Amino acid sequence: MAVPQIIPDKVPKHIAIIMDGNGRWAKQKGMPRVLGHRSGVKSVREVTEAAAQVGVEYLTLYAFSTENWNRPPAEVTALMSLLVETIKGEIRDLNKNGVRLLAIGDIEALPAGTYKALMDGIEKTKNNTRISLVLALNYSAKWEILHATRMLATQAAAGTLNPADIDEAAFENVLSTKGIPDPELLIRTSGETRISNFLLWQIAYAELYFTPVFWPDFGKEELLEAISDYQNRERRFGKTSEQLG
Ligand code: FPP
């Protein structure tokens, strides 16, 4: 396949990815599911570097949802260990490559070791400016929206916020993605065509891209293909084609 051509000034600032298919990838090869997750880490590395190379500023990855706690306990434990091991092991390379680590989700409720490794990774990479890698961990959009609502309601009940002043900006200020621009492109791998409780507020105008490729097989070429597809779409934001000129 020819390398997809990317138009530099039409690269999305923020790409969000639902990394799916690790388990099926492993099963297809007769391997345990956890080896699929391990191979998925390679894709995380390759896709982060490729995104930075083309000028993407934020890459958000759905690494663990609030619903993923319902998986078999051994898989949950393996995923948490893999996260700790990966974050600890990658800090040097993240700094070498200018990657700032961020996290969204109910991260304080993560197991203590995972929380600590994550906070340490965030602290040690905080001055990097080439790309921000946002890990969605113990995240779900419904959790995030409820949490934001509770914060605003608390302020209103305390008399420090007038309910009439709750506009989009005020709401966005209490989301976990505060300060992060909305993704222009959302990718889901593995052939599933669902949003699965991911960034529901933030993807209001995102372009959606679904690919049958399993996450461990998704690399630089597949990312460029998705960006190229995005660049061929007409983003109307409620207007007509004619109005866009
Ligand atoms: C989805 O595949 C993948 C996950 C729930 C976990 C993603 C985690 C990683 C790639 C490893 C750690 C990541 C970072 C950011 C260090 P699935 O298990 O749902 O696959 P299936 O649908 O085929 O069962």
Side-chain angles (χ1 to χ4, degrees), residues 19-24 33 37 40-41 63 68 71 82 86 135:
M19 310 181 285
D20 197 8
N22 293 349
R24 278 164 286 163
R33 291 176 58 82
H37 298 312
V41 173
N68 285 151
R71 292 194 172 200
L82 184 59
T86 306
L135 298 184

Side-chain angles (χ1 to χ4, degrees), residues 62-72 76 79:
Y62 206 179
F64 195 89
S65 78
T66 54
E67 287 89 14
N68 285 151
W69 296 111
N70 299 321
R71 292 194 172 200
V76 171
L79 269 171

